[in-house]
Amino acid sequence: MYPPASLDAVYSRFGVMFFDDPVAAFGHLRRLLRPGGRIGFVCWRAAGENELDHAPVQAAGLAFENAPHLGFADPGTIRDTLRRAGFGPSSIAPFDVPVSCGGVEETLRVVTRVGALGRILRDRPDLRRDAEPRVRAMLAGRAVDGGVSLRAATWVVTAGAA
């Protein structure tokens, strides 16, 4: 473990959304930072902004279930959590990027195993038989030059130790 006030910066990519107690976890990270230290992280925005999450679920004809990885979809929640954990003003900037796993079949393999649809199908494998052809058709309709991409919508967050 790191001693208190021993780090200049802390960075997380898609991890902080899974903290059981975000204020306590960020407070611990804050204590690890030297005066003037910074935290930075990337987290998902709302499901409706993320084609990567909502398009496969919608194509499968299923209802999107709120997921733990979307706990920081609201910038107000991020600001409040960081403030309560001892961080100063934060910068929260949207970042959108097309994500591609390759062609239709490669993308189908990914979206049926990870993300929102993957989670639903892990919990309800009986839905896979009907979901896969529908999702494949949606992906085929988005294919350009043999590749498929879906928009990922994230927040890029930075804050200083108060």
Side-chain angles (χ1 to χ4, degrees):
M1 263 306 126
Y2 297 100
S6 63
L7 302 176
D8 293 320
V10 174
Y11 176 75
S12 170
R13 185 180 65 162
F14 303 110
V16 300
M17 302 92 64
F18 298 103
F19 291 154
D20 288 332
D21 183 344
V23 173
F26 278 110
H28 175 72
L29 294 173
R30 164 60 191 92
R31 287 186 294 281
L32 294 176
L33 292 171
R34 292 182 176 113
R38 308 275 302 156
I39 189 168
F41 62 89
V42 177
C43 61
W44 295 111
R45 292 201 328 255
E49 297 178 73
N50 273 290
E51 287 178 331
L52 198 56
D53 262 343
H54 77 79
V57 172
Q58 185 176 18
L62 302 172
F64 188 85
E65 301 169 6
N66 203 7
H69 72 279
L70 299 176
F72 286 129
D74 173 41
T77 299
I78 297 170
R79 279 190 192 87
D80 183 59
T81 300
L82 291 174
R83 181 192 53 75
R84 291 174 51 210
F87 286 93
S90 55
S91 167
I92 304 172
F95 181 73
D96 291 11
V97 63
V99 173
S100 177
C101 303
V104 171
E105 292 305 313
E106 293 87 0
T107 303
L108 179 66
R109 269 194 302 280
V110 171
V111 301
T112 56
R113 286 170 177 76
V114 300
L117 180 58
R119 193 174 115 248
I120 293 168
L121 295 179
R122 281 191 304 279
D123 291 345
R124 297 278 317 274
D126 57 299
L127 299 175
R128 182 176 295 274
R129 192 188 81 223
D130 290 334
E132 278 190 358
R134 293 175 181 162
V135 176
R136 181 181 286 114
M138 179 273 295
L139 295 171
R142 292 171 170 259
V144 176
D145 297 328
V148 177
S149 66
L150 299 169
R151 186 183 72 253
T154 64
W155 294 120
V156 177
V157 181
T158 58

